[in-house]
Amino acid sequence: MLNKPVLCDAFFDSFDSSVRDVNESETLPPACYVSEEFFEFERRALFDHEWLCVGREAWAQRPGDYFTTAHAAEPIVVLRDNAGALRAFSNVCRHRGMLLAEAHGNTRNLLCQYHHWCYGLDGKLIGAPAMERAVGFDRTQVCLPEFKVETWLGFVFINFDKDALPLGPRAAALTAALENYEFAELEGEFPPPPTKFPWNWKVMMENNNDGYHANKLHAGPLHNIVPSHLSVFPQLPEDTACYFRWNGTEHQDAAFNPTRRALMPVFPKLTEKERNNFIFAQVPPTLSLVVMSDQITYMILSALSANEVAMTRGWLVAKGAMKSTMFQERLRIGQESIKSIVAQDLHVDGLIPNGLRSRFAPRGRYSWQEQAQREFNYWLVKRYKSAWKVMARPNG
Ligand code: FES
Ligand SMILES: [Fe+2]
């Protein structure tokens, strides 16, 4: 089935049944999650034009600080230049394609370790040894491709599309919902390197997005603090770049650990309502947030192919909280506690592609508790359809 080409008008028309009211919608066609042809389409329809989260602004505070990442298999280096501006470049050397920077650190310039071509923090080639005989080679004309950068709530986003509209105005609903958490001020450690998983990026984002499975897959005292039936889905503007749900908790300042209560200092400006809710938010196609009273978990997804995604998982706490008594011990208790929950999610994520590759794979119906899946469909289908309209034209 999957060897047949999926991209045709009828396929895109079939998406209409996934963007009705949640109680009338069905899931997207299985090929959207497993077909390499469809993933190549997504690269052009989504990843070439959307704002892609690359990390936190705090990861590059001083001139010369840099960190590296990749989205849709494009290597990216993000750095703070000498004038203090945050910039993002292709991390591919203009000589023979070696990756320039690795991991993260501080540097005066980007030196390619292979043949020592050297780039300034503005992306310009400033040194290229023994190139004087290369006919027509003008060093001053060589520069790393640069990408648009936007910072939102302390997260850094890049965009490969020079004409992309800013993210901030279309993220206003979520920005308002998160105001009291003071995201830009939050602190955390540099996260561990990303982990690769053999499934589609949407399988993972939908799992992050799914409150329906909360007290089924994760049934038990550790996770039952956020029961599925306490999900509330806000009305969002048509052009929203992100979506979210509030999920009521069994008690105030609930948290995933044996005490079932926050172990870190609670964010100081939270209202009563906020202390009695988690917020699960998505900024597709790359960022998922789990927002609790004392801690934020962020997950940055990086799609690699139809069947591979890398994820960077990190945490944020209130300003100054990392200096609180026994912070590392409290952190470790929380991290140990969620391991069983994470393992359950990963187990499911790993089996879903087997189901979606089946000739019997469904286009299933949704529970009302899956409203956020329908919002994700809406975000996707709008973009899929407009890209297909352009590409399907004779010279598109
Ligand atoms: S590949 Fe970078 S200097 Fe040769
Ligand atoms: Fe889960």
Side-chain angles (χ1 to χ4, degrees):
M1 175 189 77
L2 294 173
N3 294 331
K4 282 191 203 158
V6 294
L7 301 189
C8 64
D9 286 339
F11 183 66
F12 286 91
D13 288 347
S14 79
F15 295 175
D16 291 349
S17 56
S18 297
V19 293
R20 299 182 187 132
D21 179 273
V22 64
N23 297 315
E24 294 168 12
S25 284
E26 59 181 357
T27 58
L28 286 167
C32 295
Y33 299 84
V34 289
S35 154
E36 288 297 345
E37 183 193 2
F38 191 74
F39 180 71
E40 283 310 308
F41 165 77
E42 274 187 329
R43 281 169 70 110
R44 289 177 286 157
L46 303 180
F47 294 97
D48 283 355
H49 302 289
E50 295 303 324
W51 288 97
L52 309 173
C53 185
V54 289
R56 293 284 297 168
E57 190 168 15
W59 300 354
Q61 284 175 332
R62 296 167 303 147
D65 282 354
Y66 70 88
F67 59 90
T68 57
T69 185
H71 274 303
E74 279 297 343
I76 299 159
V77 56
V78 181
L79 57 80
R80 184 78 62 181
D81 73 10
N82 289 323
L86 205 56
R87 299 174 74 165
F89 298 96
S90 162
N91 191 25
V92 179
C93 180
R94 306 300 290 166
H95 178 221
R96 274 170 47 199
M98 173 64 183
L99 295 195
L100 283 169
E102 293 179 62
H104 59 98
N106 183 274
T107 186
R108 287 171 61 173
N109 44 50
L110 297 171
L111 178 70
C112 180
Q113 59 185 299
Y114 201 0
H115 312 97
H116 285 195
W117 283 29
C118 184
Y119 304 82
L121 298 180
D122 56 2
K124 289 186 180 144
L125 185 63
I126 52 178
M131 289 296 292
E132 61 281 351
R133 296 186 200 170
V135 177
F137 177 77
D138 180 358
R139 178 179 58 73
T140 65
Q141 296 305 303
V142 181
C143 194
L144 300 173
E146 184 165 6
F147 311 130
K148 282 186 102 157
V149 172
E150 184 172 330
T151 303
W152 174 78
L153 303 190
F155 288 103
V156 182
F157 289 77
I158 66 111
N159 202 312
F160 295 124
D161 182 352
K162 295 217 171 330
D163 300 321
L165 295 172
L167 173 69
R170 289 173 299 128
L174 181 54
T175 310
L178 296 177
E179 188 182 353
N180 290 340
Y181 296 85
E182 302 180 290
F183 259 72
E185 306 281 306
L186 302 182
E187 296 172 346
E189 290 168 357
F190 207 103
T195 312
K196 281 186 192 175
F197 300 104
W199 50 76
N200 186 272
W201 68 276
K202 296 189 295 300
V203 168
M204 198 147 215
M205 185 154 261
E206 290 183 0
N207 178 264
N208 297 343
N209 196 27
D210 177 14
Y212 185 34
H213 80 278
N215 50 0
K216 289 86 173 175
L217 176 67
H218 303 306
L222 189 60
H223 202 293
N224 286 352
I225 51 166
V226 273
S228 306
H229 72 275
L230 295 183
S231 298
V232 174
F233 302 94
Q235 192 74 40
L236 295 166
E238 179 100 344
D239 69 340
T240 187
C242 38
Y243 52 91
F244 60 99
R245 77 173 193 276
W246 282 287
N247 207 125
T249 52
E250 272 188 349
H251 51 259
Q252 185 163 296
D253 300 333
F256 296 122
N257 65 65
T259 75
R260 311 179 86 216
R261 292 183 188 278
L263 294 176
M264 311 289 185
V266 167
F267 299 120
K269 291 197 178 159
L270 299 191
T271 62
E272 185 96 3
K273 178 190 169 188
E274 287 159 347
R275 292 179 69 172
N276 283 283
N277 273 276
F278 286 4
I279 296 175
F280 292 85
Q282 318 295 326
V283 188
T286 57
L287 180 63
S288 296
L289 300 172
V290 180
V291 179
M292 297 166 277
S293 293
D294 65 334
Q295 196 177 151
I296 314 294
T297 298
Y298 60 85
M299 289 159 275
I300 303 173
L301 304 186
S302 172
L304 299 171
S305 71
N307 295 296
E308 201 173 23
V309 61
M311 183 170 84
T312 304
R313 176 192 282 270
W315 49 264
L316 299 166
V317 291
K319 192 175 181 179
M322 288 170 73
K323 295 196 181 81
S324 60
T325 320
M326 298 186 77
F327 174 78
Q328 285 299 337
E329 287 79 1
R330 289 162 190 266
L331 182 70
R332 205 162 41 238
I333 292 169
Q335 288 181 339
E336 279 301 314
S337 301
I338 61 164
K339 275 186 180 165
S340 60
I341 298 172
V342 171
Q344 288 163 338
D345 283 325
L346 296 182
H347 179 71
V348 166
D349 287 344
L351 293 178
I352 284 177
N354 296 346
L356 292 176
R357 279 188 208 104
S358 160
R359 79 184 82 167
F360 304 113
R363 290 192 70 183
R365 296 293 303 275
Y366 291 113
S367 155
W368 70 266
Q369 293 170 0
E370 292 173 289
Q371 172 79 37
Q373 308 295 2
R374 185 270 175 201
E375 307 304 355
F376 186 34
N377 290 350
Y378 187 80
W379 186 96
L380 289 167
V381 168
K382 199 170 160 180
R383 287 158 176 81
Y384 290 158
K385 285 208 171 207
S386 63
W388 176 245
K389 221 175 184 174
V390 175
M391 287 178 208
R393 277 197 221 122
N395 298 313

